């Protein structure tokens, strides 16, 4: 679905038609379509630019970790596997790439660090800053990327 290997100039049309078919299926079986079907997965109604949130969950506990940013009622749940890290911070355009503003936690010590961040609507590039920025890694669960100025890539979030 909408990855670098599956691009088309008709993504916005496909997205709109597919969501319409799902809404019709709910109506046919006598159910009210869920509100999220009115939202494009492209990052805005018919945006046609790709990107967006890969998943949604009712609570952070219901979210699948390491699957890219997950929309939860409190914001966006981010997770990264970094068992060797002493500290991990979420850094990006939404916090001026700060290596201290958005700390992540590994409360159970399993090496998976998480944070729920309340992020204003917009499109943002981000990475995980490990050990105060000694190492920067992109979100392996998010296929949406943009080149960074150092020859690597930043992950991209389209916040609603």
């Amino acid at each position: 679905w909408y990855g670098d290997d599956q691009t088309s100039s008709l993504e916005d049309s496909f997205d709109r038609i597919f969501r319409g078919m799902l809404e019709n299926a709910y109506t046919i079986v006598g159910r009210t379509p869920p509100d999220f079907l009115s939202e494009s997965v492209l990052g805005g109604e018919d945006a046609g630019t790709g990107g967006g949130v890969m998943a949604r969950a009712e609570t952070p506990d219901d979210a699948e970790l390491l699957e890219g940013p997950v929309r939860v009622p409190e914001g966006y749940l981010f997770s990264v596997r970094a068992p060797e890290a002493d500290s991990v911070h979420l850094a990006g355009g939404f916090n001026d790439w700060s290596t201290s503003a958005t700390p992540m936690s590994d409360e159970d010590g399993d090496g998976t660090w998480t944070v729920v961040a309340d992020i204003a609507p917009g499109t943002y590039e981000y990475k995980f800053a490990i050990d105060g920025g000694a190492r920067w890694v992109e979100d392996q669960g998010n296929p949406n990327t943009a080149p960074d100025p150092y020859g690597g890539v930043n992950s991209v979030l389209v916040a609603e």
Side-chain angles (χ1 to χ4, degrees), residues 22-118:
L22 290 174
E23 287 176 349
N24 288 340
Y26 274 91
T27 302
I28 288 169
V29 298
R31 309 262 329 254
T32 302
D35 290 338
F36 67 80
L37 287 179
S38 65
E39 302 171 20
S40 173
V41 299
L42 298 173
E45 185 60 37
D46 302 332
T49 60
V53 177
M54 301 297 104
R56 294 177 187 273
E58 295 298 318
T59 69
D61 291 336
D62 296 334
E64 291 292 325
L65 297 180
L66 306 175
E67 295 295 326
V70 178
R71 182 78 167 119
V72 295
E74 300 84 10
Y76 293 87
L77 172 67
F78 293 85
S79 58
V80 63
R81 182 101 176 111
E84 74 291 348
D86 291 322
S87 69
V88 180
H89 289 77
L90 176 64
F94 43 79
N95 66 6
D96 294 323
W97 292 93
S98 172
T99 59
S100 61
T102 312
M104 300 179 76
S105 65
D106 179 13
E107 293 180 13
D108 61 5
D110 68 351
T112 300
W113 297 74
T114 62
V115 68
V116 175
D118 184 18

Side-chain angles (χ1 to χ4, degrees), residues 1-2 11-20 40-42:
W1 189 277
Y2 306 128
E11 288 176 353
D12 58 334
S13 295
F14 175 79
D15 178 73
R16 187 176 51 253
I17 292 166
F18 183 73
R19 288 182 294 111
S40 173
V41 299
L42 298 173

